[in-house]
Amino acid sequence: MKDKTIPPINGYWYFNKTSFNVSNGCIYFRMYTVTKTWRHINSEGWEKYHDEMDLNCILQFETKDELYLDVSTIYRYLSEKKQMDYCRIRNIIE
């Protein structure tokens, strides 16, 4: 996946282990991030703002041999990282 539209969130991305799936020559998984900030709502104060984003990733392989050689490495890498920044995610999917 070489999509240039991954949002550069200043926080961290987390791997959703239950989303990992291998089928049709592809690896599918999701990453998510949670942002919490304060925003001014009116003259009386501030409100805590909570936003969650999901990133659906698809890694497509040309041959099933390549897929099966990489699947355990990719899963292990994703599950060992507690949190990932924007640059680390870009390196996985490119």
Side-chain angles (χ1 to χ4, degrees), residues 37-76:
T37 57
W38 292 92
R39 64 179 173 188
H40 189 258
I41 53 170
N42 56 30
S43 61
E44 296 181 15
W46 293 78
E47 172 184 71
K48 194 170 193 175
Y49 177 70
H50 173 90
D51 191 20
E52 201 170 313
M53 294 179 79
D54 282 327
L55 178 65
N56 294 315
C57 301
I58 302 171
L59 302 177
Q60 188 172 14
F61 293 82
E62 289 187 25
T63 67
K64 290 194 178 200
D65 290 340
E66 289 177 349
L67 169 68
Y68 293 124
L69 288 172
D70 288 344
V71 69
S72 63
T73 305
I74 291 170
Y75 182 80
R76 186 172 50 249

Side-chain angles (χ1 to χ4, degrees), residues 1-25:
M1 177 177 141
K2 294 195 181 237
D3 190 351
K4 303 295 182 198
T5 60
I6 299 172
I9 302 296
N10 291 331
Y12 292 102
W13 291 90
Y14 302 93
F15 171 52
N16 180 341
K17 289 182 181 181
T18 61
S19 70
F20 195 86
N21 186 11
V22 179
S23 65
N24 298 327

